[in-house]
Amino acid sequence: MPSLEAVCTRLFGRPGWIPKVLLGGGLSFIPGLNLFSLGYLFIYGRRLRRSQQIDLPEWSEMNWPELFVCGLRLFGLLVVYVGVPMVIGWITSLILYFLTFGLLGVVAYLPLAIAGFFSPMLFLSSFLAYLKHEEFSDAFKFRSIAQSVVYDWKPLALPVVAFWGIFLLALPLYGLSFFVGAWILIAYSCALRMKNFS
């Protein structure tokens, strides 16, 4: 099983990744155009899954209408597997805080923390399930997605915590931090399933 450090070394050791990340991160700041950035990550994940090419593709090779459509697909998965659990966790935390008159303090926000911990794993599991046969029905088999997270959450625990840490610390640069974090999470989750990754 590859380590997060090994994957990051491979990713950041490749030439030419900085301009690609800067463009993707820049697009992530702009509503509407961020779908192209998500589409780029989608195509990256698909290419990595198919041919195990860990390098980021050239933006000049991209078909922009395809990027937009793929971005919508990835956005849909993000809404279902990250957005919905985070909203439920937030509302539950607010209710818990209200019912305990704030006596629990930050402990009342435990449901939100749990949602934040597991929702990226649910998203990655659904994305990889989709990439297997490129059927959206596979990405919405909620029981199998949840089961895969229950059985395989440990290798993703540190990367998910690191993602949220970087994202929150670099909040003014949220577009760039999200793009870099999502890139690493997608690459690492795919690498976990590669037999010959080194």
Side-chain angles (χ1 to χ4, degrees), residues 74-90:
L74 201 65
F75 180 73
L77 293 179
L78 283 169
V79 168
V80 172
Y81 288 105
V82 178
V84 171
M86 291 292 284
V87 168
I88 292 172
W90 179 64

Side-chain angles (χ1 to χ4, degrees), residues 141-158:
K141 292 179 178 175
F142 297 109
R143 177 176 289 183
S144 63
I145 297 298
Q147 286 175 343
S148 69
V149 169
V150 168
Y151 294 123
D152 300 324
W153 67 272
K154 289 182 181 179
L156 288 170
L158 178 61

Side-chain angles (χ1 to χ4, degrees), residues 17-18 20-29 166-167 170 172-182:
W17 64 268
I18 294 176
K20 299 171 188 176
V21 165
L22 288 177
L23 180 53
L27 289 174
S28 296
F29 282 101
I166 292 169
F167 182 75
L173 301 173
Y174 67 91
L176 186 60
S177 60
F178 171 81
F179 186 85
V180 171

Side-chain angles (χ1 to χ4, degrees), residues 75-146:
F75 180 73
L77 293 179
L78 283 169
V79 168
V80 172
Y81 288 105
V82 178
V84 171
M86 291 292 284
V87 168
I88 292 172
W90 179 64
I91 291 172
T92 305
S93 294
L94 288 180
I95 292 171
L96 189 58
Y97 187 86
F98 176 75
L99 291 177
T100 60
F101 302 102
L103 295 175
L104 290 178
V106 294
V107 177
Y109 292 92
L110 185 61
L112 179 59
I114 292 171
F117 182 73
F118 285 106
S119 59
M121 299 180 194
L122 291 168
F123 161 73
L124 291 168
S125 181
S126 68
F127 183 44
L128 292 177
Y130 170 82
L131 291 178
K132 192 170 184 180
H133 301 293
E134 300 212 11
E135 293 286 341
F136 248 115
S137 58
D138 293 337
F140 293 103
K141 292 179 178 175
F142 297 109
R143 177 176 289 183
S144 63
I145 297 298

Side-chain angles (χ1 to χ4, degrees), residues 4 7-8 11-12 17 21-22 24-25 28 37-38 41 44 48 56 74 78 120-121 123-124 127 156 158-168 170 173-190:
L4 178 61
V7 172
C8 288
L11 293 177
F12 298 125
W17 64 268
V21 165
L22 288 177
S28 296
S37 179
L38 290 175
L41 289 171
Y44 171 73
L48 182 57
L56 286 169
L74 201 65
L78 283 169
M121 299 180 194
F123 161 73
L124 291 168
F127 183 44
L156 288 170
L158 178 61
V160 166
V161 171
F163 168 79
W164 284 118
I166 292 169
F167 182 75
L168 293 174
L173 301 173
Y174 67 91
L176 186 60
S177 60
F178 171 81
F179 186 85
V180 171
W183 169 40
I184 294 170
L185 283 178
I186 289 170
Y188 183 66
S189 61
C190 287

